[in-house]
Every structure is written in structure tokens, then in C-alpha cells.
């Protein structure tokens, strides 16, 4: 009687939780499942309880995805933290973040833990996904609208610097140069924001074609030529006689190399050497940028690809988006 009462008590607790929950033993048999999970999976309790999850997953796409994620996590020996799952549930499109929690017990008098199964929790993140989508659309719209006035400012500056409209004194020329520099930076940031919204909205499209690595490197060197001169840096190119051609979106990979080269130039001391090059490794081609500066503190190595992150104490101005976008472009390939 006590065991049955305890079982009913546990079931009442599990069903009171608003997030979908599935409990599996070490052979992937469903031991318990709450009403929310049954609704999301579109299953009846008698179809799921005490049944092998792998058998049910043969006719249930969502459960098959969950079991696949769980088995991948067990293979890698880590707690699963996947991308949100897009699920049509409760008459609307919803997003759920799957958490897989391995369960262990300790036998009496033993220190070694015994694996007894998994707990799958689906956290409803739909409202956060909607907010993120609204933020992405806002940034995209604002960035797009900003490009036109910035381009007009640059065009006006170009006309202002034309000697046919009258000459400028040294102080005026300095002010025009300063305005142009700030406008160029604004244009770069809006371009980066547009790239970011393209990635976030899932509209990132690759248009790959065959290209020589040297073409990507040459583009980056030319794009950063003025910057290198301003910082009095010497950019050297290392390139082997024989190297494979690449099948990539040349605009996006050239953007990545340019970003890395720009990142190397900014913090380098005067008269510094910066090397950009390529080398062959079996069927892979490495394109690299090397500077001889002090480098980034190892504490921040895991954070440098996060959006908007900037290393504390960095004097160089930047949006904190360049490396994040570079990583997305490379991952997409």
C-alpha cells in the first residue's frame, strides 16, 4: 500500500510540472511520462508507458529525434544541450530546448555509481525564440535603413574634398578625414549587423565556386592595405608552389580572412610583421593569419567567438561581431 501511495504521489508531482518530462531506464524503456510530454509527442499513455522508446520512435518522428540526441550525448559522454527543437504542439509552432540528465544511484556501502537511465526534460523556449526573432528583425531593419544615409554622408565628403568646389585648409581637411573615418566605421558595423541577422534568421546562403586560396588572401591584403599603412605594419604573404583549389563561397571566406587580418593589424606595435598564408594538409587547406603581438589572455579564449564580446581593456574600437560572424561563416561551410 505504501509503495502504491508513493508511486501515485510521484506521478502527481510529475504531471503537475508544466514542462514535458520523460523518464527512461538504461535500456530506453519509458518508465514515466507526464501529460505535457504525451501532448507534445501526440501519444496516449497506454501507447508509451513501460514500452521500449526505440520501438515507439519508429512511428514517431519527434521521439526519434529525442532518442537520437540522447544516444549521441551518451556516445560523447556529456550532458546534452542541443539547439531548440521546432515542434508543432498545442495548435501552434513551438520551440523546446531538450535537456538530457543521466541518472545514477549508489548501492549501499559502495562508492561506484550505477547508471540507471535518463531523464528528458523539454523546456519551452518559444517566447524567447519569438523575442530573439523580433530583435533580429529590428536590427536588420535598422541596419538596412542606416546604410543609405551613411552612403550619402560619404558621397558628400567625397564632393567636399573635390578641389573644383574650392580648397580646404589643413584643419578642415583633418575634420573631413575624421568624419570619413567614423562614417566608414559605421558602414562596417552596419554591414556586420546585416551579416549577423542573415545568420540568425537562417537566411545565410552559400554560393560556392572553385577558387584559388591566393585569390582570397590577395583580397584580404588589398582590403586592409590602408589600415596596415596607418598602423605602420608590414603584411607578408606565405604561399606554397603547389596547393589545392577550394570550393567555397569566396565572398564569405574572403570576408573571414579580411577580418582576421584586420584583427591582427589593430593591436600590433609599429613596424610589426604580420603573416597571412596558406598550406596544404592532405585534403585540407589551412588559411592562417599570424601576428607577433602579445596575444589574447587564455581566460578569454572561449569567449572571443561570442557575439558582442570584447576583451576587457581593449583600446581598439569594434563591435564584437567580427569573430562571431567569421565562425558562423566557417561553420556553414
Amino acid at each position: 500500500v505504501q509503495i502504491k501511495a508513493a508511486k501515485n504521489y510521484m506521478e502527481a508531482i510529475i504531471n503537475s510540472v508544466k514542462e514535458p518530462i520523460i523518464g527512461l531506464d538504461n535500456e530506453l524503456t519509458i518508465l514515466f511520462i507526464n501529460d505535457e510530454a504525451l501532448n507534445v509527442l501526440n501519444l496516449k499513455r497506454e501507447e508509451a508507458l513501460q514500452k521500449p522508446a526505440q520501438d515507439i520512435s519508429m512511428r514517431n518522428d519527434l521521439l526519434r529525434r529525442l532518442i537520437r540526441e540522447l544516444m549521441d550525448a551518451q556516445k560523447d559522454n556529456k550532458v546534452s544541450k542541443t539547439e531548440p527543437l521546432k515542434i508543432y504542439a498545442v495548435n501552434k509552432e513551438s520551440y523546446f530546448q531538450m535537456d538530457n540528465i543521466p541518472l545514477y544511484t549508489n548501492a549501499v556501502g559502495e562508492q561506484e555509481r550505477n547508471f540507471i537511465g535518463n531523464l528528458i526534460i523539454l523546456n519551452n523556449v518559444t517566447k524567447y525564440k519569438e523575442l530573439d526573432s523580433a530583435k533580429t528583425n529590428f536590427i536588420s531593419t535598422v541596419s538596412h535603413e542606416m546604410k543609405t544615409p551613411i552612403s550619402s554622408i560619404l558621397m558628400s565628403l567625397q564632393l567636399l574634398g573635390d578641389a573644383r568646389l574650392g580648397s580646404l585648409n589643413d584643419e578642415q581637411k583633418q575634420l573631413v578625414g575624421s568624419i570619413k573615418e567614423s562614417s566608414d566605421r559605421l558602414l562596417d558595423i552596419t554591414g556586420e549587423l546585416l551579416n549577423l541577422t542573415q545568420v540568425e534568421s537562417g537566411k545565410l546562403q552559400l554560393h560556392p565556386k572553385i577558387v584559388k586560396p591566393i585569390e582570397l588572401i590577395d583580397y584580404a591584403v588589398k582590403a586592409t592595405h590602408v589600415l596596415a599603412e596607418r598602423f605602420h605594419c608590414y603584411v607578408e604573404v606565405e604561399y606554397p608552389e603547389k596547393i589545392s583549389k577550394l570550393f567555397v563561397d569566396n565572398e564569405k571566406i574572403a570576408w573571414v580572412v579580411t577580418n582576421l587580418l584586420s584583427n591582427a593589424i589593430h593591436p600590433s606595435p609599429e613596424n610589426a610583421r604580420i603573416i597571412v598564408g596558406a598550406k596544404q594538409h592532405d585534403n585540407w587547406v589551412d588559411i592562417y593569419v599570424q601576428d607577433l603581438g602579445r596575444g589574447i589572455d587564455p581566460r578569454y579564449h572561449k569567449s572571443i567567438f561570442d557575439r558582442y564580446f570584447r576583451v576587457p581593456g581593449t583600446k581598439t574600437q569594434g563591435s564584437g561581431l567580427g569573430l562571431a560572424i567569421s565562425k558562423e561563416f566557417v561553420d556553414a561551410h
Side-chain angles (χ1 to χ4, degrees), residues 7 25 29-32 45 48-52:
K7 180 175 178 291
D25 67 12
T29 298
I30 298 176
L31 297 180
F32 56 85
R45 189 169 294 278
L49 207 56
Q50 301 299 325
K51 299 289 195 304

Side-chain angles (χ1 to χ4, degrees), residues 29-146:
T29 298
I30 298 176
L31 297 180
F32 56 85
I33 181 168
N34 69 351
D35 293 338
E36 287 292 331
L38 290 170
N39 288 335
V40 169
L41 291 167
N42 196 23
L43 288 172
K44 295 178 180 177
R45 189 169 294 278
E46 59 270 18
E47 293 174 332
L49 207 56
Q50 301 299 325
K51 299 289 195 304
Q54 287 180 307
D55 290 352
I56 303 171
S57 69
M58 297 294 288
R59 56 185 185 278
N60 189 296
D61 291 341
L62 176 54
L63 185 59
R64 184 161 61 248
R65 288 164 68 190
L66 297 178
I67 296 300
R68 186 168 61 241
E69 296 286 356
L70 184 149
M71 295 182 76
D72 287 346
Q74 287 180 340
K75 194 187 303 178
D76 296 337
N77 193 28
K78 63 182 181 183
V79 175
S80 176
K81 198 73 174 176
T82 61
E83 286 296 309
L85 300 168
K86 187 177 178 181
I87 300 170
Y88 190 81
V90 200
N91 298 321
K92 70 171 187 176
E93 195 176 81
S94 303
Y95 290 86
F96 290 86
Q97 179 75 55
M98 172 186 163
D99 285 343
N100 161 42
I101 304 170
L103 302 175
Y104 298 89
T105 59
N106 285 82
V108 178
E110 293 184 11
Q111 291 186 341
E112 188 175 343
R113 297 191 308 166
N114 297 313
F115 174 69
I116 59 167
N118 294 83
L119 182 68
I120 293 176
I121 303 175
L122 296 178
N123 297 302
N124 194 332
V125 294
T126 306
K127 63 179 180 180
Y128 304 111
K129 194 76 177 175
E130 289 170 349
L131 287 171
D132 190 55
S133 179
K135 178 263 300 179
T136 299
N137 290 335
F138 174 76
I139 292 174
S140 177
T141 303
V142 171
S143 301
H144 194 271
E145 292 299 319
M146 282 175 67

Side-chain angles (χ1 to χ4, degrees), residues 167-177:
S167 59
L168 302 175
N169 60 38
D170 290 343
E171 191 175 348
Q172 289 170 331
K173 286 178 182 177
Q174 192 174 350
L175 285 170
V176 167

